[in-house]
Every structure is written in C-alpha cells, then in structure tokens.
Amino acid sequence: MVDSIYRTRSLGVAAEGLPDQYADGRAARVWQLYIGDTRSRTAEYKNWLVTLLRSQHCQTVLDVACGTGVDSIMLVEEGFTVTSVDASDKMLKYALKERWNRRKEEAFDNWVIEEANWLTLSQDLQKPGEGFDAVICLGNSFAHLPDFKGDQGAHKQALTNIASMVRPGGILVIDHRNYDYILETGCAPPGKNIYYKSDLTKDITTSVLLVNNKPNMVTLDYTVQVPPEGNDGITELSQFRLSYYPHRLEPFTELLKNAFQGPCEHSVLGDFKAYKPGQQYSPCYFIHVVKKIG
C-alpha cells in the first residue's frame, strides 16, 4: 500500500544504482517545459549566482546536477568554463542538444557534459588539477538522493565526493527546500519560486512519509498544462511525482561541514537573502555557500 502511494511515477535506475526519477523520458520533457529555458530563470537568481562566482574569482564551474542544462547554459553564456554532470541520461539529452546546436560558438564547443553519479563521482569524472573554482548543486537537486539504509550514509558519501571536487579556496554552492517548514506545517512555505517563473498552469501537492516515526520522504505531485507536441492543438494535463529526502537546516549544515574534512567557511541564505534563525519570514529555499580553506 505505502509503496504504491509513495513510489515515484518515473521509474528506472541510472548508472551505479542511483534511482533516476526521469528515466522514462516523459517526466524529463514535462520538467523541461515546466522550468523553461534560461530566459525563465529569475533575474534575482541569475544576478546573485553570477555576482557570487565573480566575487570569488571563479572561472571553472562544475554543475553536479545540471539536469537539462538550464543553469549551465546560463553560466556558459556568462563566460564561465563549465563542466556539467547528471545521473539521468534522459535529462542530459537536452543539454547535449543545446551544445550541438550552438557548437559553432567556442564557449559551447568547449562545454564538457558527462553522465556521472554523486556516489561514484571521483571515478566518473576526472578532477582538473586541485579541483574546480566552484561546484554548484542547485534547484533542490541534492534532496533527490534517498537515504537508502536509514543512516544517511549515501548522503555523507555523496557530499564528500562533491566537496572533493572543490579546489582549496574554492566554493560549493548547494541548496534545499525549507523542509523544516514543510515537516512542521505539512505544506511548502508561501511565496514565489526563486529559480524560475513558469507560465504553465500547475498544481503541487505535498505528502510526507514517516519511517520508524522519522520523516524519510517528501513527495511533490505536479500537475502541469502541457502544450501540444503536434498540430492537433490539444492541450493535456500531465501529472508526475518527484520524491525528496527532507533535509533539515541544522543537520544538513553539519553534514556539509564534515564533508569538507578540514577547515571551511560556511554561510546560509534564505531565498538569496541573509538568514537568521527564528526570523519572521520563512524562506522557500536555503542556500549554503561553503568555502574550502587551505
């Protein structure tokens, strides 16, 4: 009963056993339509990220959850040297198509795209020298990784692998939804999506699954109005489910610091603004910035 309710609708297993929630290709297409292209990225997000990277003198950027490539394309266009990886080949095909279509532009011809898994990242991707100037994992992507054994061992391994790609003096930028608010209230915080502005009609419902009386999974059921593919002019409603591990702010902060296995500077923002615990406004997302000292 529980499995039939909470199982992700897009089934499949990517390389090395990481569940690929976009494996059937349909969810990947609907998600691409939902988030749009780089023009659908909010100006606030783009300006914040680009300003942060430039203020830290970053040139080489590893996008470890590139999906369809929206953020990577934005950064390539802004002049960064980008390497993009994802565990879902169905998502990567959109990034590969964009690189092919723009291959005559030198920046896009030099854009590196690889299929890689966070749990085997060091084997899947060769680190350049001491590492990348910046590694990004945004859009609530890390929460896709389940807690397979109930000890967060997979989360610890993945974060350690991701942190290992950051050069000394470089930064990791990683985020997650405000799961503290979701677990306490049963719904997402009110407010706009800080990453993209979709013009598709949509509805999102939230469910929380407890395992041994502990929150183990949050599912978001999306209903989006999909424009017709052909000439029939028929618009359809598409439904798909994505599942996430509900990372709370304080425990995730500790996981991050431990992943660096050495000195680091950590700061956290709420929806790209300075965040103070207990503040009146509840952000939709927490964004962590960790700088490797050494």
Side-chain angles (χ1 to χ4, degrees):
M1 173 89 177
V2 170
D3 183 59
S4 66
I5 296 174
Y6 284 94
R7 181 191 296 173
T8 58
R9 291 184 186 158
S10 301
L11 298 177
V13 177
E16 304 297 335
L18 182 64
D20 176 5
Q21 299 189 68
Y22 305 93
D24 64 5
R26 180 173 177 79
R29 174 181 175 268
V30 174
W31 187 251
Q32 170 71 356
L33 290 169
Y34 176 55
I35 66 173
D37 56 20
T38 53
R39 293 167 296 179
S40 298
R41 281 317 202 211
T42 65
E44 182 182 20
Y45 166 51
K46 177 180 178 179
N47 293 338
W48 176 82
L49 181 58
V50 170
T51 299
L52 171 66
L53 295 176
R54 288 178 176 157
S55 71
Q56 295 296 318
H57 308 290
C58 298
Q59 178 57 42
T60 58
V61 180
L62 170 62
D63 184 353
V64 293
C66 78
T68 59
V70 176
D71 290 338
S72 294
I73 294 167
M74 178 180 73
L75 294 177
V76 171
E77 291 176 338
E78 288 295 321
F80 295 96
T81 303
V82 181
T83 298
S84 305
V85 301
D86 201 279
S88 172
D89 61 340
K90 295 298 188 297
M91 297 290 273
L92 282 176
K93 77 174 187 178
Y94 291 94
L96 291 166
K97 181 179 179 181
E98 183 72 10
R99 183 179 67 178
W100 174 256
N101 289 340
R102 301 179 68 173
R103 64 191 182 280
K104 293 183 179 179
E105 301 175 45
E106 184 178 359
F108 279 86
D109 190 46
N110 294 330
W111 179 19
V112 177
I113 303 174
E114 301 282 356
E115 186 174 343
N117 189 298
W118 298 329
L119 298 177
T120 55
L121 191 58
S122 58
Q123 291 90 45
D124 296 343
L125 182 68
Q126 184 175 357
K127 180 170 66 174
E130 291 188 294
F132 293 88
D133 298 335
V135 177
I136 64 171
C137 184
L138 295 169
N140 194 43
S141 298
F142 189 78
H144 276 301
L145 182 62
D147 182 14
F148 296 108
K149 297 181 180 179
D151 60 358
Q152 289 197 272
H155 299 155
K156 295 173 184 176
Q157 183 63 57
L159 286 174
T160 298
N161 291 344
I162 292 170
S164 73
M165 292 288 162
V166 182
R167 68 161 174 81
I171 59 172
L172 168 63
V173 188
I174 188 170
D175 75 341
H176 55 84
R177 284 182 177 270
N178 186 349
Y179 290 110
D180 293 76
Y181 186 98
I182 291 173
L183 295 176
E184 290 164 9
T185 67
C187 60
K192 65 180 182 180
N193 192 297
I194 61 174
Y195 288 109
Y196 43 79
K197 45 183 187 293
S198 177
D199 57 1
L200 298 180
T201 302
K202 55 188 176 294
D203 179 61
I204 304 175
T205 58
T206 306
S207 305
V208 179
L209 173 66
L210 302 180
V211 176
N212 294 328
N213 208 33
K214 289 177 54 180
N216 184 266
M217 183 187 298
V218 167
T219 64
L220 299 181
D221 283 292
Y222 294 79
T223 302
V224 300
Q225 193 168 3
V226 181
E229 284 191 81
N231 298 321
D232 54 14
I234 300 175
T235 299
E236 62 175 304
L237 287 179
S238 181
Q239 296 178 320
F240 65 100
R241 168 177 291 175
L242 295 178
S243 300
Y244 306 96
Y245 182 86
H247 291 286
R248 288 184 175 270
L249 179 58
E250 290 188 9
F252 189 75
T253 298
E254 288 305 307
L255 285 178
L256 268 180
K257 292 179 178 179
N258 291 336
F260 276 80
Q261 301 177 339
C264 63
E265 296 176 356
H266 172 269
S267 59
V268 63
L269 299 96
D271 294 349
F272 309 131
K273 299 178 177 64
Y275 173 76
K276 292 183 180 180
Q279 68 180 38
Q280 184 174 4
Y281 169 71
S282 296
C284 295
Y285 289 82
F286 289 119
I287 304 101
H288 302 256
V289 181
V290 191
K291 184 170 185 176
K292 180 182 286 188
I293 305 300

